Amino acid sequence: MEPQPTWQDLGGGSYVMRSGAARALVNIGLVVGSERALVVDTGCGPRHATEILAAVRAVTGLPLVVANTHAHWDHFFGNAVFRNDGAADFWAHAAARRDMAGTGESQREAVSGVEPEMAAAERPGTELVFPTHLVQQDPVKLDLGGVAVSLFSLGPAHTDGDLLVGAPGVLFAGDVLEEGAEPQFEEADRSGWIRVLRTLAGMGRQYPVMVPGHGRVVTAEFAARMADRMENSG
């Protein structure tokens, strides 16, 4: 039996949890204020998202806001579970919302080995729920109650619609940061990605803790090294 995932306390009301199994292992973020809490990414389907939601509810009973870092299945296919729990505000980059709507159904096949019901759209909780609150060029500030969160983009990188979530001292970077695996370039803008990583490398004072979409928590120095590797391998 696999151990139950646990939260790593990052300070300032922020937490991260490595959740899922095998190829669906993803970092889930949680930022807790006094009035509401923000969940960063929702996993790959109803089974996964139900586990994530239970872990969230073990920490807080506050109303939830969801931010999807980009339009890949392992980061937004669990949205329906959170909507059914009462989450009303789902945020993403405008380009990610467009890609979710355009490719979401075709991405179902990718989860057949881990979430067969999601792949077949066979039961409640398998519907695709798309964000309706969109970030475009300007950052969006969210007040969770004593904890301010910034939703912003630095430009195309891993995808055209990468959303970064900045909390006090912590940056949830989604797959813009790839720890423990090589960067995936299927939809990527290599030169843009390198520029974004260079920018992140200079943000270490504001965000001494950076959370990749997968893998271990890192620092700004990791972003600099990743940019170097991408330049040298290009």
Side-chain angles (χ1 to χ4, degrees), residues 62 155 196 209:
L62 290 169
V196 169
V209 175

Side-chain angles (χ1 to χ4, degrees), residues 4-233:
Q4 290 297 308
T6 58
W7 294 106
Q8 178 183 350
D9 189 344
L10 304 176
S14 291
Y15 303 82
V16 65
M17 176 177 65
R18 297 185 72 185
S19 177
R23 59 191 289 264
L25 187 63
V26 63
N27 285 334
I28 304 300
L30 177 65
V31 186
V32 182
S34 62
E35 298 175 2
R36 53 184 179 162
L38 173 72
V39 177
V40 183
D41 290 331
T42 60
C44 63
R47 296 186 189 189
H48 190 193
T50 297
E51 293 178 359
I52 295 167
L53 179 59
V56 168
R57 287 308 183 202
V59 175
T60 178
L62 290 169
L64 300 179
V65 179
V66 171
N68 297 131
T69 58
H70 59 290
H72 290 161
W73 54 271
D74 48 340
H75 298 267
F76 84 97
F77 267 17
N79 281 1
V81 168
F82 283 82
R83 182 201 59 189
N84 294 344
D85 184 68
D89 293 348
F90 289 79
W91 287 87
H93 189 283
R97 167 62 173 80
R98 178 200 66 212
D99 290 344
M100 290 175 187
T103 69
E105 290 296 337
S106 64
Q107 290 188 61
R108 287 187 185 274
E109 183 179 355
V111 301
S112 58
V114 290
E115 292 260 4
E117 296 90 355
M118 188 69 194
E122 283 183 342
R123 69 182 179 102
T126 63
E127 58 269 37
L128 298 181
V129 173
F130 304 131
T132 54
H133 297 274
L134 305 180
V135 177
Q136 302 193 56
Q137 293 183 343
D138 297 329
V140 171
K141 301 290 186 180
L142 299 180
D143 181 3
L144 303 179
V147 177
V149 174
S150 178
L151 309 180
F152 64 99
S153 172
L154 294 175
H158 176 65
T159 70
D160 287 342
D162 296 309
L163 184 70
L164 304 176
V165 179
V170 179
L171 181 71
F172 296 93
D175 288 1
V176 171
L177 291 177
E178 294 268 7
E179 196 284 322
E182 291 302 312
Q184 301 299 306
F185 287 104
E186 289 88 346
E187 304 165 47
D189 179 331
R190 179 185 286 268
S191 61
W193 199 344
I194 292 170
R195 286 195 298 272
V196 169
L197 289 169
R198 296 293 183 206
T199 301
L200 292 182
M203 298 176 73
R205 180 167 295 183
Q206 181 179 6
Y207 299 117
V209 175
M210 295 187 178
V211 180
H214 309 266
R216 297 172 297 177
V217 171
V218 299
T219 65
E221 287 76 10
F222 178 87
R225 294 195 300 271
M226 184 175 167
D228 289 341
R229 291 198 307 272
M230 288 175 64
E231 280 191 331
N232 294 333
S233 65

